[in-house]
Amino acid sequence: EVQLVESGGGLVQPGGSLRLSCAASGFTFSSYWMHWVRQAPGKGLVWVSRINSDGSSTSYADSVKGRFTISRDNAKNTLYLQMNSLRAEDTAVYYCARDHLVTTVNWFDPWGQGTLVTVSS
Amino acid sequence: DIQMTQSPSSLSASVGDRVTITCRASQSISSYLNWYQQKPGKAPKLLIYAASSLQSGVPSRFSGSGSGTDFTLTISSLQPEDFATYYCQQSYSAYTFGQGTKLEIK
């Protein structure tokens, strides 16, 4: 069974740091691009970041560029999101999702269950 | 950046109704459009990819259509388990989601 399990969320003060992890199983992790998507309480989905299959290429939403870093360890089948200089507006459930690409069209499937990050003093 | 606008933002319907949700892109995105369903406290689930392709395991009452800037998600006969929030997403240039459409029981 293809599965993604996030961890590492919690309460952090403004300006603090947190590292999220996403453990993958049931598929060849090293063959897939991966994404982080977040959802503030009661709000919609917002794409945060993506990384290609070998980790050599990354991209970020403008709102997190320069503060967040996506990375992966293909030997450990794990995706990471290092979040620095956290702000109240970063409070959200963070989901990891697998990219699925056919020719030039891609979509996100499956998604993990999410981990809640709360930025508050 | 490409903006995605869904309508309506919320919708009340009854079991057995036919429902259509619309998603409009701020520029042409060809068929780079996906639809997701999200239930409270759960992760999003892929329903439709590439505008009209049904994801494996998704009931055939769900269908998608459109290309360019205008897209629709149709549920042909609402079932109790379909009451949820639906999001469109473009993958033509980076990734943008619509604001969501909350489908509620009438």
Side-chain angles (χ1 to χ4, degrees), chain B residues 17-32:
Chain B
D17 284 354
R18 180 183 180 89
V19 167
T20 297
I21 298 169
T22 297
C23 180
R24 175 164 288 174
S26 59
Q27 67 182 73
S28 177
I29 58 170
S30 183
S31 296
Y32 291 70

Side-chain angles (χ1 to χ4, degrees), chain B residues 21-88:
Chain B
I21 298 169
T22 297
C23 180
R24 175 164 288 174
S26 59
Q27 67 182 73
S28 177
I29 58 170
S30 183
S31 296
Y32 291 70
L33 192 284
N34 309 311
W35 289 98
Y36 301 88
Q37 176 194 65
Q38 187 180 34
K39 296 181 179 179
K42 300 295 186 181
K45 172 189 169 185
L46 177 71
L47 297 176
I48 302 285
Y49 61 92
S52 60
S53 295
L54 189 68
Q55 170 68 348
S56 176
V58 174
S60 59
R61 62 181 180 273
F62 290 92
S63 64
S65 65
S67 67
T69 60
D70 294 316
F71 302 86
T72 58
L73 172 70
T74 299
I75 310 172
S76 60
S77 178
L78 271 175
Q79 298 302 299
E81 60 268 29
D82 300 337
F83 292 95
T85 300
Y86 293 84
Y87 293 93
C88 62

Side-chain angles (χ1 to χ4, degrees), chain A residues 16 23 26-27 29 38-40 47 53 61 71 74 90 98 104 110 120:
Chain A
F27 65 101
F29 179 70
R38 69 184 181 184
Q39 185 171 37
W47 174 78
S53 56
S71 63
N74 285 343
D90 296 318
R98 186 183 71 175
T104 60
S120 174

Side-chain angles (χ1 to χ4, degrees), chain A residues 33 35 37 39 43-47 50 59 62 95 99 102 104-114, chain B residues 1 31-34 36 38 41-46 49-50 55 87 89 91-92 94-99:
Chain A
W33 290 25
H35 301 268
V37 177
Q39 185 171 37
K43 302 298 184 182
L45 301 168
V46 177
W47 174 78
R50 73 97 180 131
S59 65
D62 287 344
Y95 296 99
D99 187 277
V102 174
T104 60
V105 183
N106 65 317
W107 53 91
F108 298 177
D109 179 66
W111 299 55
Q113 86 289 350
Chain B
D1 292 4
S31 296
Y32 291 70
L33 192 284
N34 309 311
Y36 301 88
Q38 187 180 34
K42 300 295 186 181
K45 172 189 169 185
L46 177 71
Y49 61 92
Q55 170 68 348
Y87 293 93
Q89 176 212 26
S91 59
Y92 180 83
Y95 313 94
T96 317
F97 292 88
Q99 81 279 15

